[in-house]
Amino acid sequence: MPPETASPLDRKLERGGFDWSKVVLNGLLPLAGVVVALLVGAVFLLLLKVNPLTAYGALVNGAIGTKYGFMMTLVKATPLLLVGAGICIAFRANVINIGGEGQIIAGAIAGAWIPLAFSSLPGWALVPFSCLGGFAAGALWGFIPGILKARLRVNEILSTIMMNAIAVQLLNIVLQGVLMDPEGVARGTFLAQTAQLPPQSWLIRLSPPTLLHTGALIALAMAVLVYIFLWRTTIGYNIRAVGLNPDASRYSGIRVPFYEALSLTLAGGLAGLAGVIEVIGVQHRLMPGLTSGYGFTGIVAALLGGLHPLGLIPASVLFGGLLVGADRMQRAVQVPSALVTAILGLIVLFVSGAAIWSRRWAAKRRISAARGGQS
Amino acid sequence: MKSRRLTAIALIAVLFAAAAVAAPIRIAVIMPSATTDLAFSQSMYSALLSVQKDMGGESALVLKHTDNMFNVPDAAAAIRDYASQGFDVVIAHGSQYGSSVQEVAKDFPKVTFAWGTDVNTFGLSNVYAYTAAAEQGGFVNGFLAAKLTKSKKVGVTGPVKVGDAKTYVDGFLQGIQYADKSITVSETWTGSFSDVALMSAAAKTHIANGADSLTGSSQSVVGSIGAAKDKGGILWFGTQFEQTSLAPALVVASQVYDWTAMLKEIIAKRKAGSLGGSTYVLTLANGGLKIAYNPGYALPAAIKTAADATIKSIANGSIKVQP
Amino acid sequence: MKNIFSLNVISGILNTMIALATPYLYAAIGEVFAQTAGVVNLGVDGIMLLSAFAAFYVALVTGNLWLGLLAAAVVGLLMGLLMSFVSVSLKAEQGVSGIGLYMLGLGLSSLLFKVMIGTVKTIEGFKPVELPLLSAIPFLGPILFRNNILVYAAFLLVPIAWFVLEKTTFGLKVKSVGQNPAAADSLGINVDRIRYVSVCIGAVLAGLAGASLSISLTNLFQDNLTAGMGFIAVALVYFGGWSPVGVLGGALLFSVVNSFQLWMQVLGVNIPSGVAVMLPYLLTIVALCVTVNRVRQPAALNKPFERGES
C-alpha cells in the first residue's frame, strides 16, 4: 500500500455527513438479508411441521403489532444501542472489542453496588451516581485490554475474550459473597442475586405496564453524543484517522496507541452503562444472565448501522424487534427456542454478506465521480 | 314430534355439559434452561407431561412451554404474554423470575401464577410459590455415600455454590457427618452451568485423588457422571432428576423432585375457585422429594434399611437438616 | 497444601492438562490456517457445537465412533463453506459473520438435540490406547502414552500443521494470501480459492475439536456443550502468534492452570472457587504480557480482498 499523504485522508475523514441515497440503500440491504435468512428459516419451520406464514406473522406481530411488544422492542434496543455506540468508536479506531459481555457485567456490578451501598441518597443523586459508576467500571474493563494493547501490543481479541470470562467469575464471586441478598441467606434459599435495589434508584417507567424506561432516552442521547464526538471533535477525528490509516496517522504526529486505548476504554464505558441501565431500569437487582449476549449482538447492531451512531438507532430497533418477535414466534407456534437462535444466526450471516452490494455500489459511484471530475 | 324435540334438547344439554367438562385447562411454563437438561427444568417439564397424561392428554390439559429463558426481561415478556392469552395457569420455573411474577400477577387477577423455587407469594391471592427442600435428599445421599465409600473420600462437583446447589450440598455434608465423621469431602466448583468438559475434568480430579463416591448438582454434572462411568468402580448420587439412565451401573440413588402432586393440587384448587396464596415445599415427608434407588445397583440390604430409616426420621422431624 | 507437589498430584495435573488441551489444539490450529490466510473466523464455537452434536448423534445411532468422527468433519466442512462463502465471496465483515455462524451453530445444535435425541444420553467414547514400550516409561509414560486416538492425533497435528505452513508451497500461498493478497493475486495465486481452502481446513479441525469433546472427553451431548471453548481457541491463536507451536504452548498453559486450580480445590487449598476458576484466563493474559510478543499479525487479517482495490 503506497503511503498516503495527509490530504486524501483528511478528505475521506470529513465525509461524515448524510448522503440520503446511501442511507436508503444501506437500510434496504440489511432488510434483504433478513428476508433471505427468514426464507432459509422457513425450511426449518416446514421441517418442524409449522406453517412459516403463521410463525413469521407472529414474529412481526410480536415485535411491532402490539403496544407491549413494540415497547419491549425498544427495551431490547436500549442495551444494543449503548453497546453498539461503543463498538462504533472502537471499530472506527480499528480496534475489535469482543469484550462487551464482560464490560456489561462490570458496569452492572458497580451499578447494583452503588444503590445498595448508598441507599439513603435521594433518587436524583443516586441515579446519576450509579450510571457514572457503571460507566467507570465498564471503562476500566475496556481500559485494561486497551492499555495492554498500547503498551505491550497484547492483541485485544485475546484480552477481551479473557476479560469476559474473568467478569463472569467476578459476578459469581460477588453474588455468592458480599452482594448476596441477605434475605436469601436468612431464608436459606441462597439465591445468586442481590437484594432488590432501593426504589428511588429505579429508572422511571415511561409507559406502564410495559417495561420501557428512561434508559432508552439515555441511550438515544449517548448515540447522538457519540456521533458528535466522532465527527465534530479533534479527538474523534484522530480516532477515525487512526482506524483508517495508522501509518499515515503516525507520520502526521497522532499518538496511535493512545487513541486505540482510549477507544477501547470508551467502548467499555458505554457497555458498562448498558449494564447499569439493565440493572436499574429493568431488573432492579443484579443476577446472572443479565448480558443476554448483548456484547455480541451489539457488534451486529453496530455493523448493521454502518458503524455510524445515527445509523445504529434504527439498526438496534430492528435487531431488538427481531429478538422480541422471535421469542413471540416461539410461544405462538411452540417451536423449540433454539430455533430462534439459529434463525437469528442466519440473519446475522446474511446481513453481513449483503453489505457487499453497498460497497460495490459505492465503488462504482466513486469511479464515475472521479471520471466526471477529470473531464 | 314432541319426543323428538325433547331428545334434541336433551342432546344439546348433554353436549353442553360435555363441553363444560371437556374444556381443557391451559397451562404455560417458562424455564431458565433446556427441557432436556436432566435437571431442574426437565424435572418440571416431565412432571407437567405426566400430569397431562394422567388427566387424559391434550383434550384435558393444553400445555405450552418456553425454555432457555435465562434472561429475566425476556421471561417477563413471556409470562405477560401467556397471561394475556388467557392461560389458566402460568408457571414461572425459576427463582430469578420473582419480581416479574409479582408485577404481572397484579395485572391478571384471574390467572393463577406459580413460581419457584422460593416461598414468597407477595401477599397476592393468585400466586402460588413452591420450593424443594433439597437439603433433605442431600442428607440421605450423603448418608448413603458415607456408608458405601471404601476410600473414605467423597467428591462434590457443582457450578456455583448458590441456591439449590448449595442447599443440596450442605445437606449432603450433614448426612456424611451424621453417618461417619472420619470421611473427607472435597468440593470443586467450576463457575459455569454449561461447562460439561470442566465438570468432567473436576470429577476425574476427585477420582485421581482417591475419591470413590461422587455427587453434584446442575445441568453440567452430567459431565461428572460421564467421567465416573469411564473410570468404573465409582459411585454416583444424583439430584433433581432421575439420573440412573446416564450410568446404570454406578448411580446408587437420585433425589428426584416430583412436582406432579403439587401440580395436580394447584389444578384442583383452581377448579374449586382458589387461585393462589399458598406455598408448597417439596419434602421427604409429603412425598414431593423421592429417593429413587437404582434397581440395577446391588445396594446391601442393611444399608438400604438404614437409609430408609433415615428418610423416615427426616420425614417425622427427628432428624433436622439445616438448609 | 504440602501435598500439592506430590508425584501423584503432578501426574494428575498433567493428565488432566492433556485431556483439556485436546479440543483447544484442534480448534486453535484450525484457526491458525484461517487467520494465516487473512480470515478471522469467530464462529469456531458454533462449528464445534454442531460437529459435536453430529459426532455424538451418528455414534449413538450407528454405534460406530469413526462414522461419528466423519460426520463431525463433514459438518465442519459445510460450516466452513458457509463461512467462506459469506466472508470470502461476499466479503462480509468477518467479526460479524463469525458471530452469525456461532449463533447458527449454537441454535441448530440445540434444536437438533432436542428434536432428534430429546434428553442427555451417554455413549462409550474412544478408549485409551496404550502405546507399547513408551507407556512403560516411568512417570511420563502413563501420562503421555495412555490416551485415546483423538488425543494423539491432536498433538501430532502440531508438527503436521507447522510443516504444511512452513515447508510446502501450499503453506507459502496461504501466507502470501494473508500478507499481501494483491501481490499474491498478481503472481497468479487464486486468493479466494486459497482462503476457501484455509477456512475449510480450519472448520474441519474445529469439527474434530467438537467431536473430541462429545465422543472422547465427555461422551455425551448437552446444550451449549462447548461453553465458549471456541472463543478461547481463537484467543489462543493470538497467544501463539499464528504458529502451531505457539498455539500448543498456549493450549498447554491454559489447560495446566485449569487442571491445577481443580486440584487446588480438591485438596482443599483455601482459595475461593471463583478466584480459582478465574486463574487460567488471568494467567493467559499475564503470560502474554511478560513474554515479549512482537509477532506481527498477518497484514491482511480481517480484510476482505477485492481485485483492483488497495
Side-chain angles (χ1 to χ4, degrees):
Chain A
M1 192 187 281
E4 260 185 279
T5 52
S7 61
L9 180 64
D10 277 351
R11 241 180 283 142
K12 217 169 171 183
L13 283 167
E14 282 315 317
R15 228 184 281 132
F18 269 135
D19 175 343
W20 282 108
S21 56
K22 206 173 127 190
V23 168
V24 170
L25 185 76
N26 286 348
L28 286 180
L29 272 176
L31 283 181
V34 171
V35 170
V36 175
L38 290 182
L39 286 176
V40 179
V43 177
F44 293 154
L45 286 166
L46 286 172
L47 288 174
L48 290 168
K49 299 187 178 70
V50 169
N51 181 350
L53 289 178
T54 322
Y56 290 147
L59 188 152
V60 174
N61 189 44
I64 52 174
T66 63
K67 182 186 163 205
Y68 187 85
F70 184 64
M71 296 301 175
M72 198 62 206
T73 293
L74 298 182
V75 170
K76 294 292 262 187
T78 301
L80 292 174
L81 186 52
L82 283 165
V83 175
I87 297 291
C88 284
I89 300 177
F91 274 44
R92 287 282 170 183
N94 208 9
V95 173
I96 302 170
N97 179 25
I98 311 285
E101 295 280 298
Q103 294 148 7
I104 294 172
I105 292 174
I109 293 176
W113 175 71
I114 290 172
L116 289 171
F118 302 93
S119 55
S120 55
L121 287 179
W124 57 264
L126 206 45
V127 170
F129 185 20
S130 307
C131 287
L132 281 175
F135 185 93
L140 174 70
W141 227 248
F143 170 77
I144 295 169
I147 193 76
L148 291 180
K149 182 181 173 68
R151 293 280 174 209
L152 300 167
R153 308 314 297 162
V154 172
N155 184 288
E156 75 275 15
I157 295 186
L158 178 148
S159 50
T160 49
I161 288 175
M162 297 296 169
M163 292 296 283
N164 284 345
I166 294 171
V168 170
Q169 295 314 323
L170 192 65
L171 181 63
N172 283 339
I173 291 172
V174 298
L175 285 184
Q176 60 182 307
V178 285
L179 289 185
M180 186 186 263
D181 186 359
E183 216 180 296
V185 177
R187 271 195 276 139
T189 54
F190 300 102
L191 298 177
Q193 58 184 27
T194 63
Q196 199 169 54
L197 306 184
Q200 79 270 24
S201 70
W202 301 358
L203 294 176
I204 296 162
R205 290 269 174 90
L206 292 174
S207 170
T210 77
L211 301 180
L212 188 71
H213 51 83
T214 46
L217 302 176
I218 300 178
L220 208 56
M222 292 312 287
V224 174
L225 274 179
V226 169
Y227 167 70
I228 295 169
F229 171 73
L230 278 175
W231 271 279
R232 296 286 179 266
T233 69
T234 318
I235 303 176
Y237 173 92
N238 287 347
I239 283 180
R240 287 182 302 128
V242 166
L244 266 180
N245 193 332
D247 293 326
S249 306
R250 204 168 293 126
Y251 294 136
S252 58
I254 298 176
R255 281 151 59 216
V256 174
F258 171 79
Y259 287 102
E260 286 173 344
L262 177 70
S263 68
L264 252 177
T265 308
L266 290 175
L270 285 165
L273 189 56
V276 191
I277 287 180
E278 277 301 286
V279 169
I280 62 175
V282 186
Q283 313 209 354
H284 301 158
R285 63 169 91 219
L286 181 64
M287 42 189 149
L290 92 160
T291 66
S292 197
Y294 295 133
F296 292 112
T297 42
I299 300 177
V300 176
L303 268 294
L304 256 173
L307 285 181
H308 195 294
L310 300 183
L312 179 60
I313 297 170
S316 48
V317 173
L318 173 71
F319 206 78
L322 279 171
L323 293 173
V324 172
D327 274 357
R328 178 72 184 80
M329 172 184 90
Q330 184 278 324
R331 294 193 291 274
V333 296
Q334 289 287 296
V335 285
S337 57
L339 177 70
V340 169
T341 317
I343 290 181
L344 287 172
L346 283 172
I347 288 174
V348 173
L349 269 172
F350 286 110
V351 168
S352 68
I356 186 174
W357 284 283
S358 154
R359 280 199 300 276
R360 288 232 168 118
W361 191 75
K364 251 184 217 157
R365 249 175 34 124
R366 260 208 310 279
I367 292 166
S368 64
R371 280 195 192 128
Q374 275 161 6
S375 64
Chain B
M1 202 61 193
K2 204 174 175 186
S3 68
R4 216 183 236 183
R5 213 150 117 193
L6 270 178
T7 27
I9 289 168
L11 201 69
I12 288 167
V14 167
L15 277 176
F16 263 99
V21 168
I25 183 160
R26 287 155 54 82
I27 298 183
V29 57
I30 296 105
M31 294 161 286
S33 49
T35 53
T36 53
D37 69 357
L38 217 67
F40 186 67
S41 293
Q42 194 167 356
S43 75
M44 176 54 81
Y45 190 62
S46 61
L48 280 163
L49 287 179
S50 95
V51 169
Q52 185 184 45
K53 207 174 145 202
D54 289 354
M55 287 177 64
E58 289 270 340
S59 57
L61 193 162
V62 174
L63 176 62
K64 296 211 172 187
H65 76 281
T66 294
D67 61 354
N68 282 324
M69 283 289 108
F70 47 83
N71 182 259
V72 172
D74 293 349
I79 294 167
R80 183 173 290 275
D81 192 28
Y82 281 127
S84 65
Q85 282 177 39
F87 276 80
D88 301 302
V89 181
V90 177
I91 301 172
H93 190 55
S95 46
Q96 60 269 57
Y97 304 150
S99 314
S100 314
V101 169
Q102 186 178 12
E103 214 176 301
V104 179
K106 282 178 197 151
D107 294 345
F108 296 91
K110 289 194 176 140
V111 178
T112 292
F113 294 84
W115 83 289
T117 50
D118 207 310
V119 291
N120 193 349
T121 61
F122 314 111
L124 294 171
S125 61
N126 60 334
V127 174
Y128 289 109
Y130 59 81
T131 188
E135 67 277 7
Q136 297 191 349
F139 190 97
V140 179
N141 273 355
F143 178 84
L144 281 167
K147 291 285 179 208
L148 290 168
T149 175
K150 294 197 179 79
S151 65
K152 303 275 178 193
K153 278 186 180 175
V154 177
V156 173
T157 58
V160 186
K161 201 173 181 177
V162 290
D164 254 23
K166 180 179 162 54
T167 47
Y168 169 74
V169 169
D170 286 348
F172 187 82
L173 297 177
Q174 292 170 60
I176 286 190
Q177 279 290 310
Y178 173 79
D180 186 345
K181 289 198 166 48
S182 70
I183 289 169
T184 43
V185 184
S186 32
E187 301 172 27
T188 49
W189 300 92
T190 61
S192 162
F193 282 86
S194 50
D195 199 335
V196 177
L198 195 59
M199 200 61 93
S200 153
K204 283 175 186 157
T205 307
H206 284 293
I207 295 167
N209 189 44
D212 63 356
S213 301
L214 299 177
T215 192
S217 179
S218 104
Q219 57 265 44
S220 54
V221 294
V222 290
S224 295
I225 305 177
K229 186 182 161 197
D230 276 2
K231 286 282 179 188
I234 306 295
L235 302 179
W236 178 264
F237 301 86
T239 185
Q240 291 185 333
F241 199 75
E242 168 84 65
Q243 290 165 338
T244 301
S245 67
L246 278 186
L250 52 93
V251 174
V252 176
S254 305
Q255 163 173 240
V256 178
Y257 292 5
D258 185 356
W259 307 105
T260 48
M262 174 194 91
L263 289 168
K264 282 179 180 166
E265 198 179 318
I266 288 179
I267 292 169
K269 274 192 178 172
R270 182 179 164 86
K271 277 186 181 150
S274 161
L275 301 192
S278 55
T279 296
Y280 292 89
V281 182
L282 299 194
T283 60
L284 290 171
N286 65 22
L289 292 181
K290 288 194 173 79
I291 300 297
Y293 296 103
N294 172 11
Y297 176 80
L299 184 64
I303 296 180
K304 186 170 186 296
T305 315
D308 284 338
T310 311
I311 294 173
K312 218 168 254 165
S313 304
I314 296 173
N316 68 27
S318 57
I319 293 179
K320 288 218 176 351
V321 190
Q322 298 302 318
Chain C
M1 189 69 200
K2 61 178 186 297
N3 55 0
I4 199 160
F5 296 111
S6 73
L7 268 187
N8 176 38
V9 172
I10 292 174
S11 87
I13 289 178
L14 296 179
N15 252 324
T16 311
M17 169 189 80
I18 286 173
L20 285 177
T22 302
Y24 291 120
L25 275 176
Y26 283 111
I29 289 179
E31 182 76 4
V32 167
F33 276 92
Q35 293 207 2
T36 307
V39 181
V40 175
N41 182 1
L42 273 185
V44 176
D45 208 51
I47 303 175
M48 284 174 71
L49 280 167
L50 201 54
S51 290
F53 171 77
F56 181 79
Y57 180 71
V58 170
L60 182 72
V61 171
T62 66
N64 187 327
L65 294 171
W66 296 100
L67 281 180
L69 206 57
L70 181 70
V74 170
V75 166
L77 179 66
L78 291 175
M79 292 289 270
L81 284 172
L82 180 60
M83 180 67 189
S84 317
F85 174 68
V86 175
S87 300
V88 179
S89 295
L90 296 184
K91 302 175 201 315
E93 181 66 46
Q94 291 159 12
V96 177
S97 52
I99 291 172
L101 197 71
Y102 162 62
M103 292 170 72
L104 177 65
L106 174 68
L108 209 51
S109 59
S110 303
L111 175 68
L112 294 174
F113 172 57
K114 189 164 185 170
V115 173
M116 296 167 78
I117 301 181
T119 188
V120 180
K121 288 183 177 166
T122 52
I123 54 162
E124 295 290 329
F126 281 102
K127 287 263 176 291
V129 180
E130 282 194 28
L131 298 190
L133 296 179
L134 288 172
S135 62
I137 301 173
F139 190 65
L140 283 180
I143 295 169
L144 296 176
F145 303 110
R146 264 181 216 170
N147 288 297
N148 71 50
I149 190 91
L150 285 185
V151 176
Y152 295 128
F155 283 82
L156 270 182
L157 195 59
V158 177
I160 294 172
W162 173 83
F163 182 82
V164 170
L165 283 170
E166 299 297 329
K167 301 289 169 194
T168 65
T169 357
F170 172 72
L172 254 170
K173 284 181 184 168
V174 172
K175 283 186 163 182
S176 66
V177 157
Q179 284 298 341
N180 192 338
D185 184 54
S186 67
L187 287 172
I189 296 173
N190 186 333
V191 174
D192 281 7
R193 186 191 296 161
I194 296 288
R195 287 189 168 178
Y196 258 80
V197 173
S198 305
V199 170
C200 287
I201 290 175
V204 168
L205 290 176
L208 297 184
S212 78
L213 265 181
S214 66
I215 62 176
S216 140
L217 192 59
T218 66
N219 298 336
L220 53 84
F221 186 85
Q222 163 83 298
D223 270 32
N224 193 17
L225 179 74
T226 57
M229 282 180 141
F231 288 95
I232 302 296
V234 174
L236 291 178
V237 173
Y238 296 94
F239 185 93
W242 295 272
S243 107
V245 181
V247 163
L248 172 69
L252 290 181
L253 172 76
F254 185 84
S255 307
V256 82
V257 178
N258 225 342
S259 78
F260 176 73
Q261 64 92 2
L262 287 176
W263 270 99
M264 285 203 307
Q265 292 193 42
V266 165
L267 295 177
V269 176
N270 202 3
I271 172 175
S273 63
V275 176
V277 175
M278 233 185 237
L279 284 178
Y281 307 97
L282 214 58
L283 283 180
T284 307
I285 300 185
V286 172
L288 199 57
C289 294
V290 295
T291 57
V292 186
N293 187 286
R294 302 227 180 278
V295 187
R296 293 273 295 189
Q297 67 174 36
L301 191 62
N302 210 12
K303 291 188 181 103
F305 171 67
E306 192 131 32
R307 266 199 174 149
E309 265 191 7
S310 95

